[in-house]
Amino acid sequence: MTKNPIKFKRTKFNIRGHLYYSIFFLLIQYSCSTSKCVLCEMDNKTVYNIEFKDGNTMPGGEKIMQTYFDIIPIEESGGTVKVNIVDCSEGEPYRLEPGEEMAQYVKDHMISVDSLDIKRITKTSDADIYPDAFSVRRLMIENSDLQLCERNRNAFKVELRGMLGARSFKNIPYESIPGAVADTNQFIGFGAQGTKLIFGPEIAILAPVYKFNNRNRLHIGIMSGYWPVDGGNFIPISIHPRFTFNDITSPLFGICDALYLFGDIGTAYDFSADKNKFLTTGNRFVSSFYGFGVGVDLWKTKTMDISYDIAYRHTSLALPLNNPASTEWLDCLNENGIEYSDYNKRAAGQIVIRVGVTF
């Protein structure tokens, strides 16, 4: 037995193909402009009078408000009904034609009041016609066909995802130790020889950090999951930032769907290893990964989105230490009193597609 044991080299999957040079192109522009306005295509010539109950007035002290736009009541969580009213006390909104100017007026003068604060809603009439009275419930029925955005996204988010990733599709030889019989990566596999396709569930819990323009929001949280790959059973743990466009929706403006950008940087722990595969003797992470991507939340219910995203992810995962082919090599280390404090690793880049739900 030589006193200079064979050095353990790190193997890598070479991903120089065009698939990994052109990972994905981000959507350049995502529009949430005020041009999409539910009230802007409706008649703005009818006069509605909103009378408030005693003790409830508008900021200017008015007990009666007039509007030329339809009144839209919306039921929120907990059964509360908010009545959305365009305050027409300023300007001449009845002269506005559908377009950006009307949309801006509606947005600038929209107020939301509790339905319990309203005493009566009537239409203005002449002396020969008695005013037509409306209840909030009647307005909800008459406006039930409006295309309103009903998605109410929470400040805190929970992401549940199923992940499918593709590494290089080339046949890449793998030697468990130098000189061992080479094996090639499989199309779908779980062993140390590697695999061309990977998959697993992932979950992220995100806290809000900052909101921009009362519409977009930045979150930072933790992502974890389960990756059965490279001869191990890995639990990823990463910092998971996410920036969501149109995260704060309005029922009467904009759209319900949201585009988001996200990233990950962290480590992975193999809980099936017979020895520690989390930290080296030098207190460094054995395995690591990072990634970044783009996705879209398509609103499904008031509290849930169906989510799709695509990302580039680079992993460096520790391979099994107790590979049968490496017995002689490990014995050599032991006989020479050399402590093994690091692991052979596989570095691989991959395109990852994830599908799931966001709450």
Side-chain angles (χ1 to χ4, degrees):
M1 172 63 71
T2 177
K3 294 296 183 179
N4 296 314
I6 300 172
K7 293 183 179 180
F8 208 58
K9 297 181 180 179
R10 297 183 177 183
T11 60
K12 293 187 177 182
F13 277 9
N14 192 341
I15 52 169
R16 295 179 180 177
H18 68 278
L19 176 63
Y20 297 99
Y21 272 125
S22 55
I23 300 168
F24 55 84
F25 292 97
L26 300 180
L27 183 62
I28 296 176
Q29 184 177 7
Y30 187 76
S31 175
C32 297
S33 66
T34 58
S35 59
K36 188 179 188 309
C37 168
V38 173
L39 295 176
C40 293
E41 301 302 323
M42 298 181 177
D43 171 45
N44 62 330
K45 305 298 187 291
T46 303
V47 181
Y48 292 91
N49 299 292
I50 303 94
E51 184 178 351
F52 297 95
K53 294 180 180 178
D54 293 339
N56 296 292
T57 61
M58 289 299 94
E62 304 90 348
K63 291 186 62 67
I64 297 179
M65 176 183 292
Q66 283 193 342
T67 183
Y68 299 93
F69 297 89
D70 283 4
I71 302 168
I72 310 296
I74 298 174
E75 186 172 2
E76 299 184 343
S77 57
T80 302
V81 177
K82 291 293 185 180
V83 182
N84 296 275
I85 306 168
V86 180
D87 182 1
C88 294
S89 58
E90 297 180 356
E92 298 177 320
Y94 48 85
R95 297 182 181 274
L96 298 175
E97 297 297 330
E100 286 294 330
E101 189 178 2
M102 178 185 288
Q104 192 62 48
Y105 184 93
V106 170
K107 182 177 181 179
D108 292 343
H109 295 81
M110 176 69 69
I111 64 171
S112 181
V113 300
D114 194 312
S115 63
L116 299 178
D117 294 335
I118 296 177
K119 179 179 180 180
R120 184 167 40 242
I121 301 173
T122 59
K123 282 184 180 180
T124 298
S125 63
D126 57 33
D128 299 324
I129 304 176
Y130 191 78
D132 191 6
F134 292 83
S135 66
V136 172
R137 183 59 55 183
R138 175 182 168 183
L139 289 173
M140 293 181 68
I141 294 174
E142 292 184 355
N143 295 320
S144 60
D145 59 342
L146 292 179
Q147 298 299 313
L148 301 177
C149 173
E150 299 180 13
R151 181 67 170 102
N152 183 21
R153 294 187 173 90
N154 294 323
F156 283 86
K157 290 186 181 295
V158 177
E159 298 178 345
L160 301 177
R161 300 284 191 270
M163 177 272 292
L164 176 66
R167 293 175 170 179
S168 173
F169 281 90
K170 296 180 180 180
N171 288 325
I172 300 175
Y174 159 70
E175 297 178 359
S176 57
I177 61 172
V181 177
D183 197 0
T184 58
N185 53 320
Q186 299 179 350
F187 186 73
I188 298 179
F190 306 98
Q193 74 273 18
T195 178
K196 299 175 184 179
L197 294 182
I198 59 173
F199 57 88
E202 296 180 355
I203 180 173
I205 300 175
L206 303 168
V209 176
Y210 192 76
K211 62 182 179 180
F212 301 84
N213 299 327
N214 202 34
R215 186 178 68 193
N216 312 318
R217 193 146 45 193
L218 174 66
H219 290 80
I220 295 180
I222 299 295
M223 188 277 286
S224 188
Y226 171 58
W227 299 343
V229 65
D230 291 338
N233 293 279
F234 291 92
I235 301 296
I237 304 171
S238 78
I239 299 174
H240 184 76
R242 164 175 165 148
F243 186 86
T244 308
F245 301 90
N246 196 42
D247 194 51
I248 305 171
T249 59
S250 171
L252 301 175
F253 303 100
I255 57 178
C256 274
D257 300 334
L259 180 76
Y260 60 91
L261 306 174
F262 68 97
D264 287 292
I265 182 168
T267 184
Y269 174 66
D270 181 5
F271 66 85
S272 64
D274 57 351
K275 293 185 178 181
N276 174 50
K277 288 180 68 173
F278 188 59
L279 294 174
T280 67
T281 55
N283 290 324
R284 292 177 298 176
F285 289 123
V286 176
S287 300
S288 62
F289 72 98
Y290 65 87
F292 50 89
V294 60
V296 62
D297 288 328
L298 304 178
W299 81 284
K300 187 66 175 178
T301 68
K302 288 183 178 181
T303 59
M304 185 186 75
D305 293 314
I306 301 296
S307 303
Y308 304 87
D309 55 54
I310 182 171
Y312 171 77
R313 180 177 288 168
H314 186 276
T315 59
S316 180
L317 303 179
L319 295 171
L321 179 64
N322 58 348
N323 192 304
S326 64
T327 302
E328 292 184 5
W329 181 75
L330 293 175
D331 290 343
C332 181
L333 291 179
N334 293 330
E335 290 174 5
N336 287 272
I338 299 176
E339 181 180 358
Y340 183 76
S341 61
D342 203 353
Y343 286 79
N344 190 24
K345 302 177 183 179
R346 175 172 289 117
Q350 51 243 317
I351 298 296
V352 173
I353 296 175
R354 306 191 311 164
V355 180
V357 296
T358 301
F359 298 97

